[in-house]
Amino acid sequence: NDPQNKNNKKKKQDFYDPLYMIPETYRLTDSKDREAFEKRLYQDGGLDLPWVLKNPNSANGKGITMLGPNSKELRNVLKDEEGEEMEEEESKNKKRKKDQKVSSEEEEDEEKKKEHQSLIQAYICNELTWWGNKKFDLRFYWMVASVDPLIVLYHDGYVRVGNGEYDESDWSSTRQHLTTHTFLAAEEKGTVDNLKDVLKEHHSSKSLSRKSRKKIQQLTRGDPYLHVRNQMKQSIAETVAAFYYDTFGQSLKQQELMTPHHHRNRNNNMQQSTLQPPENVFALYGADFVIDNDLDVWYVEAQNGPGLEEEFDFRVEMHRELIRGTIDMVEEIQMKLQDDPTKNVLPLKSQAEGWDIVYAGNTDEPPEQHWMFRYKDYTRFKKKKGCNIKTTNKENTSSIRRAKVQ
């Protein structure tokens, strides 16, 4: 899977693959998504499943509500999001504006908050757990080293471990379902080596199905960490591809607008176009993943930054490696572009161990001509085990059933 190899480019007909690694997600502030979720909830079995209600503007476990199957909160989630919560927020805003003079900039900020209030996402059932049956997730990294040409890289990260025992039958609290529930320093963190040990133990146990073990053996010669890592790399690459035109395609759009390089004004006179190619930039981001018991990876959240807290010694060294690598590669790319903008900047001599290119392409070319990392021959099992759901019968005695995932 070499970014220099033209044969590894995606075929046009399969470029827009479904983002299967992302859990079923709906934007409750979008009318089409809201309508689709309403149908999913009341007509297509959504009430029988657990969901996670998120505020994208929050972090560290804040703004998250667990919605258990057939719970009152789930049945009323659309009504609550549209009605009670909005009314309460409006009441607070009116009172605040009376109590103090609000600037136009603050009003714009309030409007932006309203636009990004809520996402609802299907809960991933049958998750792989950490030692002590604790919930865990992965914070790994990806970097946009250059926008033009577009070069995106992946880097390993660390493990975040919850401080409550994982329990799929209890939705009364977020404690057993989140890994960032308390202050960061009070929570356990794990290294990549720790993760490798957990994966090896699971891979050799009876908890992993025979089909999954056979698949991992065929794809990676029995290396469960490489299997998980390849899925994360493809998840980042697929995300870049899916959002290419909205996020990275400005150079191509502007070139189309600049051809021919003149346009007519209202008086039908020719004028020189003022459009300029975008300035090259770089950025470092975080990405959060969970793993299920089939060792399939789910991309649950994309972060708008890397989150470089340093409450653990191993993270201090990891962050130094991240920053050094970022600076060295960005500097090399910029120097090469200054010397000869038409020359291919790859390979990168400064690309340190741990950094893998997952997407590369010139932004004056359509994305189907770009190269991206593909986990060759990987397929995901369509049938997934559901969550163990606690139910109550007529005699008021509790029982456990497994919710079906559709």
Side-chain angles (χ1 to χ4, degrees), residues 100-290:
Q100 62 182 18
K101 196 173 182 179
V102 180
S103 69
S104 59
E105 287 184 1
E106 287 177 319
E107 288 181 348
E108 285 182 17
D109 289 341
E110 289 297 327
E111 289 302 316
K112 287 179 181 178
K113 287 180 182 178
K114 287 181 184 179
E115 291 174 4
H116 301 88
Q117 277 186 335
S118 294
L119 294 174
I120 194 160
Q121 189 175 80
Y123 185 86
I124 302 302
C125 297
N126 192 36
E127 287 185 34
L128 178 64
T129 55
W130 202 249
W131 294 305
N133 194 35
K134 292 182 178 180
K135 165 99 174 190
F136 77 92
D137 65 14
L138 311 178
R139 166 62 62 86
F140 280 48
Y141 302 100
W142 61 288
M143 176 179 63
V144 180
S146 168
V147 172
D148 190 10
L150 180 56
I151 302 173
V152 180
L153 297 98
Y154 159 97
H155 195 285
D156 289 346
Y158 68 100
V159 184
R160 305 185 300 186
V161 184
N163 50 21
E165 189 171 349
Y166 183 65
D167 186 356
E168 289 183 346
S169 67
D170 185 359
W171 306 96
S172 59
S173 168
T174 58
R175 184 180 178 86
Q176 57 267 44
H177 301 290
L178 297 182
T179 61
T180 51
H181 186 79
T182 60
F183 294 107
L184 292 173
E187 295 165 354
E188 183 182 350
K189 299 292 186 289
T191 64
V192 167
D193 286 338
N194 297 146
L195 176 61
K196 289 178 180 178
D197 290 340
V198 169
L199 293 173
K200 284 180 181 177
E201 289 177 13
H202 183 68
H203 183 255
S204 60
S205 72
K206 293 182 180 179
S207 300
L208 184 66
S209 69
R210 188 177 298 177
K211 287 183 178 179
S212 296
R213 190 176 291 107
K214 182 179 179 181
K215 177 173 70 174
I216 295 169
Q217 182 63 42
Q218 292 173 341
L219 293 174
T220 65
R221 297 183 179 178
D223 186 340
Y225 180 68
L226 182 58
H227 177 64
V228 166
R229 192 174 190 268
N230 283 344
Q231 291 177 68
M232 290 188 285
K233 287 167 62 176
Q234 179 163 322
S235 296
I236 298 299
E238 290 281 5
T239 304
V240 173
F243 294 99
Y244 174 79
Y245 279 113
D246 291 327
T247 308
F248 303 109
Q250 293 306 309
S251 179
L252 183 61
K253 288 180 180 178
Q254 288 199 355
Q255 187 180 44
E256 290 172 353
L257 289 170
M258 293 169 69
T259 306
H261 295 285
H262 297 79
H263 65 277
R264 294 184 181 275
N265 62 16
R266 290 182 181 178
N267 297 323
N268 206 35
N269 295 323
M270 297 300 292
Q271 289 185 335
Q272 185 73 29
S273 174
T274 58
L275 288 171
Q276 298 294 327
E279 185 178 356
N280 208 356
V281 295
F282 70 94
L284 182 62
Y285 299 103
D288 297 343
F289 301 91
V290 298

Side-chain angles (χ1 to χ4, degrees), residues 298-348:
W298 298 87
Y299 190 2
V300 292
E301 282 190 6
Q303 304 298 325
N304 61 3
L308 300 180
E309 299 86 2
E310 296 187 339
E311 72 279 18
F312 289 83
D313 290 342
F314 82 88
R315 291 190 63 191
V316 175
E317 184 55 40
M318 181 179 66
H319 295 162
R320 288 174 183 162
E321 182 182 318
L322 281 170
I323 300 303
R324 285 194 201 106
T326 298
I327 294 172
D328 290 345
M329 285 185 285
V330 169
E331 183 179 27
E332 180 183 343
I333 291 170
Q334 294 306 315
M335 293 298 291
K336 286 180 175 178
L337 290 174
Q338 287 179 23
D339 291 341
D340 186 354
T342 64
K343 191 175 180 180
N344 192 346
V345 299
L346 298 177
L348 298 174

Side-chain angles (χ1 to χ4, degrees), residues 25 47 135 185 218 307 327 356-357 395:
T25 305
L47 280 173
K135 165 99 174 190
Q218 292 173 341
I327 294 172
D356 292 345
I357 296 175
E395 286 74 28

